Amino acid sequence: MQLWYLKAKLNNRGNLKYLLTIILLISCQVIIGQAKPGFYLTINLDLELCDNKMKLLNAESMYCILEEPIIEFDSFEKVTEMAYDSLFEMRNFRIILTHKGAKYVNTIAAKLPNQKLALVVNGILVSIIDLYGIYNARTIVIWDQFDSQSMDWIHRSLVNNVTKANKKS
């Protein structure tokens, strides 16, 4: 259906604005939906040349990441409950990888130790994991230095996504 036809059909300007708002929101969801959830490899590339750059949640840091995740949620065995670390005075939770997922992370860390993994959830970059020094990683700890409310959202979203991925497999 063409826009001019819709405009002719809609007598009220409010309805047209409403329709255009819906079209805009759907377009934004399609763009956000292109960033599949999972771990992406960061790329050491000038951000001006990068086609897929994302801003880290709760920070001003920008990262250039691959177009597709290298580890998807079907490689996540489970996400643990949120816990409080009294030593560091912050909440955290753990992502437990499957044996296959852990082997993949270990291989990447051995071959590309100066790279980082970027965790994307619901189209948002939520965490950066340094691969240097990883030799046998089956557990990945996610924490927030500011212990913000976004931790609850990240945890809930990961649990939901991992549950869906595990039901499919």
Side-chain angles (χ1 to χ4, degrees):
M1 205 181 281
Q2 294 190 1
L3 191 57
W4 63 269
Y5 178 75
L6 287 173
K7 188 174 181 181
K9 285 291 197 183
L10 297 171
N11 297 336
N12 188 333
R13 284 188 98 141
N15 287 343
L16 181 59
K17 287 181 183 178
Y18 178 73
L19 180 64
L20 292 174
T21 302
I22 289 173
I23 291 170
L24 179 64
L25 288 173
I26 290 171
S27 299
C28 289
Q29 286 180 338
V30 168
I31 291 168
I32 290 172
Q34 290 177 350
K36 294 179 190 174
F39 281 112
Y40 289 72
L41 197 61
T42 60
I43 306 169
N44 293 331
L45 184 67
D46 187 339
L47 287 175
E48 290 181 16
L49 302 174
C50 181
D51 290 332
N52 196 26
K53 54 187 163 200
M54 296 186 84
K55 180 183 172 291
L56 181 61
L57 179 69
N58 293 338
E60 294 300 318
S61 305
M62 293 287 291
Y63 292 88
C64 184
I65 63 173
L66 291 178
E67 294 287 330
E68 293 290 322
I70 58 168
I71 300 172
E72 295 187 23
F73 284 157
D74 59 356
S75 293
F76 289 35
E77 189 171 295
K78 70 177 183 175
V79 177
T80 65
E81 291 298 316
M82 191 86 70
Y84 182 76
D85 186 325
S86 58
L87 180 63
F88 293 104
E89 298 179 351
M90 65 179 69
R91 294 179 303 156
N92 66 60
F93 61 88
R94 289 170 165 64
I95 298 170
I96 311 297
L97 298 173
T98 62
H99 290 289
K100 181 181 174 182
K103 184 177 179 182
Y104 198 54
V105 169
N106 295 332
T107 301
I108 294 167
K111 301 287 184 188
L112 303 167
N114 295 324
Q115 296 304 113
K116 295 174 178 27
L117 288 180
L119 177 59
V120 174
V121 180
N122 297 347
I124 299 171
L125 177 58
V126 298
S127 185
I128 297 293
I129 293 107
D130 196 354
L131 291 174
Y132 184 77
I134 292 179
Y135 300 106
N136 192 11
R138 186 156 181 236
T139 301
I140 297 173
V141 179
I142 305 295
W143 52 273
D144 181 6
Q145 73 185 57
F146 305 111
D147 197 26
S148 66
Q149 294 302 316
S150 61
M151 278 291 288
D152 295 322
W153 173 83
I154 294 167
H155 182 261
R156 187 174 49 254
S157 297
L158 275 170
V159 168
N160 291 339
N161 280 302
V162 170
T163 302
K164 286 179 193 174
N166 287 339
K167 283 183 181 178
K168 288 180 186 176
S169 53

